[in-house]
Amino acid sequence: MKLTASDLMSLEQYARERPSLRARMIEHRRVRQLCLGEHCTWSFEDRETVRYQVQEMLRTERIFEPEGIAEELEAYNPLIPDGRNLKATLLIEYADPAERARRLSELRGFERHCWMRVAGFEPIYAIADEDLARENDTKTSAVHFLRFEFTGQMLESLKDGGALAAGVDHPHYRHSVDPIGPPLREALLADFG
């Protein structure tokens, strides 16, 4: 379910509650992260992660007018899964700037090689970066937004205990997690309602 302005706190209330909300969100996000190798992390989004991001943007930008709040909601609501999909923020991370530049050049098209698979089914490849292009002729971006669409049969299999796997099969970066562990699997199942 998409967020509305009534789901958000006022800037004053958020300022008071931010320390405890931040601590809870760090743990919530930790459970919803998947590391694929040493340099790739997927952070699965849900209504709570998006609400937190919107509140942080409103706080940082000091937005309190209804029009500004509506703009932020319009920008962030597409990150909330709709019950038949999962959505994730993908980060490609290399600490050394020279290595990062070299690797991002080698990894062009990375986002099109990200997949999830329900046991017994073919992999689902990500629909990536629907908001804007995040690569050019020379390199990919270090941040991508992924959407994975599941069929009804896949969802039934998952609810019946079917294993869930994820991976990247780019020619220059191949890693997978099979199966995804119980804490993350349970969190993702909740996204399907």
Side-chain angles (χ1 to χ4, degrees):
M1 180 170 27
K2 302 298 180 195
L3 294 169
T4 66
S6 65
D7 296 313
L8 303 173
M9 295 179 198
S10 68
L11 291 178
E12 296 80 14
Q13 181 184 2
Y14 186 67
R16 285 190 305 273
E17 296 186 30
R18 185 173 182 256
S20 64
L21 290 171
R22 187 172 187 279
R24 286 196 311 268
M25 187 52 57
I26 288 170
E27 178 59 19
H28 184 75
R29 279 200 173 281
R30 186 191 63 73
V31 170
R32 298 182 65 80
Q33 283 193 342
L34 178 66
C35 294
L36 292 161
E38 189 178 340
H39 302 286
C40 177
T41 303
W42 295 358
S43 181
F44 288 92
E45 306 294 350
D46 69 357
R47 198 165 190 271
E48 294 310 308
T49 64
V50 172
R51 181 190 339 249
Y52 181 76
Q53 289 173 329
V54 170
Q55 290 283 180
E56 283 292 303
M57 284 303 298
L58 297 177
R59 175 186 170 274
T60 301
E61 301 293 327
R62 300 280 184 234
I63 298 170
F64 55 87
E65 296 91 0
E67 299 80 17
I69 294 169
E71 286 176 15
E72 293 301 321
L73 289 170
E74 185 177 332
Y76 282 95
N77 265 329
L79 296 176
I80 300 173
D82 67 11
R84 296 189 64 83
N85 58 34
L86 295 173
K87 297 183 180 182
T89 301
L90 175 155
L91 301 173
I92 302 171
E93 302 171 289
Y94 290 90
D96 177 67
E99 180 184 16
R100 181 172 51 250
R102 182 178 58 79
R103 295 293 288 159
L104 291 178
S105 178
E106 292 173 354
L107 295 173
R108 285 191 68 244
F110 189 93
E111 67 281 7
R112 293 184 294 278
H113 291 270
C114 297
W115 55 267
M116 296 191 82
R117 184 181 62 241
V118 177
F121 293 89
E122 291 296 313
I124 305 162
Y125 281 85
I127 299 165
D129 302 325
E130 296 174 280
D131 59 339
L132 58 98
R134 295 186 185 276
E135 75 175 3
N136 59 35
D137 293 338
T138 61
K139 68 177 183 72
T140 192
S141 173
V143 178
H144 294 277
F145 299 100
L146 309 177
R147 175 170 54 98
F148 298 93
E149 291 291 332
F150 291 77
T151 67
Q153 289 178 318
M154 291 173 182
L155 295 178
E156 285 304 315
S157 178
L158 284 172
K159 290 175 184 173
D160 289 342
L164 183 62
V168 178
D169 62 8
H170 190 279
H172 298 290
Y173 194 95
R174 294 183 183 275
H175 292 279
S176 63
V177 174
D178 188 2
I180 289 173
L184 176 56
R185 186 184 183 286
E186 290 171 20
L188 297 179
L189 276 179
D191 291 346
F192 293 124

